[in-house]
Amino acid sequence: MTDQVDYQVTVEELATLMKRTAGVHVDPVTLQQQADDGFDTFGLDSLGLLGIVAELEKRYGLGLPEQAERCKTPADFLALINGALKTGV
């Protein structure tokens, strides 16, 4: 019997990753409230997002969809990442 672990990246984790990998400080509450705003609103560029994707791939040991590094908003990013983690793709 194999236990499938349901991984999920939260808004809080995303805020922490933004700070650690890209040096972008954003309050998780603000990030949650403005999740449909562009990453550029928070000062995160495509290179910063690429660093976050790489960190998540390393953490979970799987490749994430290429679209992840092209997501424009935190809401889109979390939906895509969490969908990929759930299916293991």
Side-chain angles (χ1 to χ4, degrees), residues 32-80:
Q32 177 74 53
Q33 291 170 344
Q34 297 179 315
D36 290 320
D37 290 354
F39 275 117
D40 55 344
T41 302
F42 304 103
L44 186 73
D45 61 13
S46 57
L47 194 56
L49 190 57
L50 190 59
I52 292 171
V53 171
E55 178 69 24
L56 289 171
E57 286 178 335
K58 189 167 59 172
R59 179 186 296 174
Y60 295 112
L62 56 93
L64 295 171
E66 275 185 41
Q67 313 89 283
E69 53 200 64
R70 292 193 293 273
C71 286
K72 300 294 183 204
T73 69
D76 289 345
F77 181 77
L78 287 172
L80 181 71

Side-chain angles (χ1 to χ4, degrees), residues 7-21 28 31 52 55-56 59-60 77-78 82 85:
Y7 296 115
Q8 184 166 352
V9 179
T10 65
V11 170
E12 290 80 10
E13 284 177 286
L14 180 56
T16 300
L17 285 166
M18 288 170 71
K19 181 179 177 184
R20 191 169 69 232
T21 64
L31 190 60
I52 292 171
E55 178 69 24
L56 289 171
R59 179 186 296 174
Y60 295 112
F77 181 77
L78 287 172
N82 287 327
L85 289 174

